[in-house]
Amino acid sequence: MKIVQSAFAPGAKTLKGALHVHTTRSDGADSPESVLRLYASKGYDFVALTDHNVYNTKNFAPDTNLLIIPGVERDFDMPDSKNSLVHTFHTVALGRSPERGNRYVHDQRFSFKGTVADQRAVQPLLDEIHGAGNVTFLCHPEWSGTPAREFDQMQGHFGMEIWNSGCALDNDQDTNAAYWDEILGLGKGWHGIAVDDGHTMRQHALGWVAVNADKTIDAVIDALVSGAFYSSCGPEIYGFYVDDGKAVVECSPCLFAGFAFARKPSSLTWDRENAGVTRAEFAIPEGLPYLRAIVKDAQGRRAWTNPIRL
Ligand SMILES: [Zn+2]
Ligand SMILES: [Zn+2]
């Protein structure tokens, strides 16, 4: 039986979106209008302005035709964060429409000033967000100083960041799905999300999601939650499926294309001379719980699919 990853269903759309963005509404350097204009100029279809602890639903550049996904970033620090360590659970919340239960409103402020002892103490805060008609993903786990064992009991996230442009450019962290295979290997259905988390113009529009959805808030959220998207810093992925005991990925010309797993070396098809790989195949061994496709282009830019469970 053929299993096609849902981002690549027949007739799939590929809306380009930014899900983690900062502006002068919190600690970003540039105005919401100028940031949105930059994203529009780079061909984005939707943007979530996720400034720290202040909710956004507004399009500050309405003539751009960008869809604004409601959103906010919440910061839940652990006690040792107060002693100059970075040890935190930053969480992006994205909102459905009010008709689908979003109870947060534009400019709503979130005043959680305390600390959380560990991941268990975050759960009631996540439950509250989910109860208010919002979905969540975990941000930049490497930058946050949290290996998988510090967040692997959390419930209700639809995904986690696997690329974060700000952390990548400034810290060389959160560049390639750190800890994701550990989470997937536990059977958790978290999807992998590339974001910018840009605070300055040079950090915006470098990592995005390509979503198979119509251009409405609820359609985009539903597709994100169901995993009908892939993440990219440049390469395009056109297909990822399993058929007759083998996996196939199809992509724009790349240095390599192939597959990643839990507890197993990746399987890659290379073209080191011409970076012209546009397809890779893999014979699936018995007992593999899932696989996901990965590619990297001649400029070193990656793209990642969500997994197919076997
Ligand atoms: Zn953050
Ligand atoms: Zn951020």
Side-chain angles (χ1 to χ4, degrees):
M1 190 187 68
K2 188 174 183 179
I3 308 171
V4 180
Q5 206 285 327
S6 56
F8 312 101
K13 302 178 176 73
T14 51
L15 296 188
K16 184 178 183 180
L19 295 178
H20 185 169
V21 179
H22 295 283
T23 74
T24 49
R25 284 167 57 75
S26 64
D27 56 350
D30 300 285
S31 72
E33 181 183 346
S34 57
V35 171
L36 288 177
R37 289 197 186 289
L38 175 74
Y39 278 104
S41 76
K42 303 282 187 184
Y44 281 66
D45 298 292
F46 64 86
V47 175
L49 297 180
T50 56
D51 278 298
H52 296 279
N53 303 309
V54 55
Y55 204 73
N56 185 74
T57 66
K58 183 173 167 185
N59 188 348
F60 291 84
D63 57 303
T64 58
N65 203 32
L66 283 170
L67 174 69
I68 301 299
I69 303 295
V72 64
E73 182 174 9
R74 301 286 306 275
D75 309 342
F76 304 127
D77 293 334
M78 281 180 271
D80 49 7
S81 302
K82 303 297 180 200
N83 304 319
S84 86
L85 290 175
V86 174
H87 198 198
T88 190
F89 299 115
H90 288 190
T91 302
V92 161
L94 303 173
R96 302 180 187 277
S97 67
E99 297 73 38
R100 288 280 303 276
N102 188 357
R103 297 212 304 274
Y104 294 155
V105 295
H106 184 67
D107 272 345
Q108 185 165 339
R109 308 251 159 195
F110 300 90
S111 59
F112 180 76
K113 292 271 192 287
T115 59
V116 290
D118 55 27
Q119 59 178 315
R120 282 180 294 281
V122 181
Q123 193 59 49
L125 298 158
L126 297 179
D127 294 344
E128 189 182 305
I129 296 170
H130 301 147
N134 280 243
V135 299
T136 57
F137 62 85
L138 182 77
C139 304
H140 46 63
E142 282 190 288
W143 184 92
S144 294
T146 55
R149 65 178 181 276
E150 295 195 29
F151 59 83
D152 60 4
Q153 304 300 312
M154 288 183 185
Q155 302 295 323
H157 287 309
F158 77 89
M160 60 183 282
E161 289 181 3
I162 59 172
W163 163 273
N164 179 304
S165 303
C167 301
L169 292 183
D170 288 356
N171 310 99
D172 195 27
Q173 287 178 307
D174 298 293
T175 61
N176 187 18
Y179 313 131
W180 191 27
D181 284 307
E182 281 185 72
I183 291 296
L184 293 173
L186 295 172
K188 293 174 93 79
W190 294 10
H191 310 308
I193 304 166
V195 302
D196 290 319
D197 195 6
H199 290 71
T200 65
M201 286 302 192
R202 74 183 172 83
Q203 297 173 330
H204 296 303
L206 300 172
W208 57 87
V209 287
V211 182
N212 178 11
D214 290 327
K215 195 174 168 180
T216 69
I217 291 169
D218 291 321
V220 168
I221 298 282
D222 286 346
L224 290 170
V225 169
S226 75
F229 68 94
Y230 71 94
S231 289
S232 181
C233 295
E236 291 182 273
I237 300 179
Y238 307 125
F240 170 40
Y241 59 89
V242 166
D243 192 19
D244 198 19
K246 68 177 193 243
V248 176
V249 60
E250 297 155 339
C251 57
S252 54
C254 277
L255 173 67
F256 69 69
F259 305 91
F261 326 90
R263 297 182 175 171
K264 184 171 165 54
S266 56
S267 163
L268 303 179
T269 299
W270 290 81
D271 179 0
R272 289 186 171 86
E273 258 174 37
N274 301 310
V277 178
T278 57
R279 188 176 197 278
E281 273 187 26
F282 174 68
I284 300 169
E286 198 76 10
L288 198 68
Y290 74 88
L291 76 174
R292 58 188 181 85
I294 52 175
V295 306
K296 182 160 118 175
D297 71 10
Q299 290 80 49
R301 302 175 305 176
R302 297 176 185 275
W304 309 256
T305 72
N306 285 313
I308 293 176
R309 297 251 170 215
L310 300 165

